[in-house]
Amino acid sequence: MLNFLNEYFLQQISTMVNVTNGTKFGGSCGEGIHLGPYLKSAIYSIILVASLVGNIAIICIVHRTRRLHNPTNYLIVNLAVSDLLGSVINIPIAIAVQLRLFTTWSNDFVGRVSCALLPPLQGFFTYCSWFSITVIAVDRFCAVMFPLRHVMSPCVINICLAATWLLSLFIISPLFYAMKVIKRFDKYVCLETWEPLFDTLEARKIYTIFLFFTSYVFPLVVIVPLYSCVIHRVWFRTVPGNVTDAIQRVQSKSKKRVLRMLVTVVVMFVLCCFPFQIHIFLQYNFNDSLSKCAVTPNVTFVMFSLVFANYAINPFIYFAFSKEYCTALCTLLGSIHRACKLRRTKRMSRGHELPAKEVIEIASFRKLNEAHSSTVCLEADCHHKTKQEKMWRGRNINWI
């Protein structure tokens, strides 16, 4: 379960127990290098900014670019939305915990409701992101292996989009019952407890195994074989007819780009999610064997940082390996630059503080406009402006 607050409070309780017993937190493993809360918060902040910029850029690019309005890119937008919401929900909480802005819970109505909703939402958007990656793998497999069949039709894509969210909600729904505010060591904390319906330790173990196989093993089992088939088909595919050296070079370059992108997607998914999943799986199933060497806060920080980094890595994979997204990103950045320049020009023109270059351009245009005067229309008080005048009016330069 991706629950930063639950992990944090469990560590706080473990620390209190160890201090009471006169032992150090971490057992025989030692404390190691201590990373300060401000350094951890800075790293989390960098990941948050990267995730916001990358995922918002993906959404804007697909919205603005008409040629990207197809089912495949809608799946990528679904991935960007889940990554964006996951980073907005999870990372600020992690920063607040590191800065000790969130050390206890309130036992009132608001505290109980937030305890029942906030931790499940932390995992909900993450699992939705992982299932979106799985659906994208299925879509790429069908497009490459069955190019003449419209297997992933718009109707099927819509069903898959809804399934990613509904399946994530179904998987995480038991936590709406299990997350409760309880009192430990004179502090109210939000922890996973399945009483009174079930035994907490046994239910937590069963649910953790269920999460491990449904949210991590299942996507991995689907993604790796499908992308392996796609890589094999793309690498050994030949262009029919007479192939020149130039075509061979283009084909080889395209194959390498696709191969690098697919391998990067799989490696990043495994690398970012594997440590945390294994830690949770071992913690709730082999707790006694791990008690001699407790997971330190630094290790927890690294595991959560990798999970959070997956939010930011996904959009930049498409920017790095897709020509369409790279070109659209450059166009978007150019539009933002022109909009900022236009806003600056408008603000300066209102304050009558135009730079010398703009003044020279306006004077030159006025001379040109005098030589080529506008044509008077038949309607009263109506005249046709020249092309240059329309251009300057578009730049919001006040006419005198």
Side-chain angles (χ1 to χ4, degrees):
M1 174 183 56
L2 182 63
N3 186 349
F4 190 92
L5 295 174
N6 192 67
E7 287 294 304
Y8 169 75
F9 288 128
L10 284 176
Q11 283 191 351
Q12 295 300 310
I13 293 173
S14 300
T15 303
M16 294 176 185
V17 172
N18 290 328
V19 170
T20 304
N21 296 333
T23 59
K24 291 184 178 181
F25 178 77
S28 59
C29 294
E31 296 181 356
I33 300 175
H34 178 68
L35 298 177
Y38 294 102
L39 177 59
K40 295 179 182 178
S41 300
I43 295 175
Y44 283 147
S45 300
I46 294 173
I47 297 174
L48 176 61
V49 172
S51 176
L52 292 176
V53 172
N55 290 297
I56 291 177
I58 288 287
I59 297 172
C60 293
I61 285 172
V62 176
H63 175 71
R64 288 166 53 93
T65 309
R66 186 173 296 275
R67 68 175 181 275
L68 295 179
H69 291 182
N70 55 65
T72 299
N73 291 296
Y74 293 153
L75 293 176
I76 296 176
V77 170
N78 184 67
L79 173 62
V81 171
S82 58
D83 285 340
L84 180 64
L85 295 176
S87 60
V88 169
I89 292 293
N90 285 295
I91 301 181
I93 294 177
I95 295 174
V97 169
Q98 290 297 330
L99 297 178
R100 295 296 189 269
L101 303 177
F102 209 163
T103 58
T104 186
W105 217 278
S106 59
N107 195 28
D108 54 6
F109 175 77
V110 176
R112 291 191 293 269
V113 171
S114 59
C115 177
L117 293 180
L118 197 55
L121 288 178
Q122 289 183 276
F124 171 72
F125 294 113
T126 302
Y127 299 147
C128 186
S129 173
W130 296 350
F131 291 140
S132 298
I133 295 175
T134 306
V135 175
I136 292 174
V138 175
D139 175 72
R140 292 296 84 205
F141 174 81
C142 295
V144 173
M145 303 299 292
F146 311 104
L148 300 180
R149 301 179 186 176
H150 297 286
V151 179
M152 300 296 286
S153 62
C155 180
V156 175
I157 292 294
N158 291 332
I159 294 175
C160 292
L161 292 175
T164 57
W165 295 87
L166 294 177
L167 182 59
S168 301
L169 181 62
F170 170 75
I171 290 175
I172 213 68
S173 58
L175 289 180
F176 292 119
Y177 164 78
M179 300 307 300
K180 297 181 179 67
V181 178
I182 59 177
K183 192 173 184 179
R184 294 287 180 89
F185 291 93
D186 298 328
K187 282 179 120 178
Y188 286 104
V189 295
C190 180
L191 291 178
E192 180 184 345
T193 174
W194 296 83
E195 298 173 354
L197 294 181
F198 308 99
D199 178 69
T200 297
L201 295 179
E202 190 66 24
R204 184 183 295 172
K205 182 183 298 185
I206 295 174
Y207 184 63
T208 302
I209 296 174
F210 170 74
L211 283 181
F212 178 75
F213 282 98
T214 55
S215 64
Y216 182 70
V217 175
F218 169 70
L220 198 62
V221 168
V222 174
I223 291 172
V224 172
L226 293 185
Y227 276 157
S228 299
C229 295
V230 171
I231 291 172
H232 182 271
R233 172 62 67 89
V234 170
W235 188 256
F236 291 100
R237 183 174 56 188
T238 57
V239 179
N242 296 326
V243 181
T244 62
D245 293 337
I247 295 179
Q248 286 183 347
R249 286 193 297 268
V250 172
Q251 183 186 14
S252 177
K253 187 176 180 180
S254 177
K255 288 180 178 179
K256 291 179 180 178
R257 186 187 304 111
V258 172
L259 179 62
R260 286 195 298 265
M261 183 181 70
L262 298 181
V263 171
T264 303
V265 169
V266 176
V267 170
M268 288 297 101
F269 177 76
V270 174
L271 179 64
C272 293
C273 306
F274 181 76
F276 178 79
Q277 291 289 338
I278 292 299
H279 158 63
I280 295 297
F281 182 79
L282 295 179
Q283 181 184 26
Y284 289 125
N285 293 279
F286 305 97
N287 194 36
D288 293 336
S289 61
L290 292 178
S291 60
K292 298 180 181 179
C293 183
V295 178
T296 63
N298 289 342
V299 176
T300 304
F301 164 73
V302 173
M303 291 188 296
F304 276 101
S305 297
L306 290 175
V307 176
F308 295 158
N310 195 40
Y311 297 141
I313 289 174
N314 289 328
F316 291 99
I317 291 177
Y318 295 102
F319 292 145
F321 297 105
S322 174
K323 283 186 175 181
E324 286 188 338
Y325 276 96
C326 184
T327 304
L329 177 63
C330 295
T331 304
L332 178 63
L333 294 177
S335 301
I336 296 174
H337 174 72
R338 288 191 297 271
C340 294
K341 188 176 180 180
L342 179 62
R343 185 176 179 181
R344 173 177 171 270
T345 305
K346 181 179 179 180
R347 184 174 62 252
M348 296 181 69
S349 64
R350 288 177 178 176
H352 303 288
E353 297 179 357
L354 288 175
K357 183 178 179 181
E358 297 285 353
V359 174
I360 294 174
E361 290 179 354
I362 293 175
S364 301
F365 173 73
R366 284 176 179 171
K367 293 180 179 179
L368 181 63
N369 191 38
E370 290 175 0
H372 304 280
S373 58
S374 60
T375 304
V376 179
C377 298
L378 294 178
E379 291 79 7
D381 298 329
C382 175
H383 62 277
H384 174 70
K385 300 294 182 181
T386 60
K387 183 178 180 181
Q388 292 82 359
E389 181 178 350
K390 290 182 180 179
M391 178 187 68
W392 281 100
R393 183 175 293 277
R395 295 184 64 182
N396 292 307
I397 302 298
N398 294 328
W399 290 87
I400 300 176

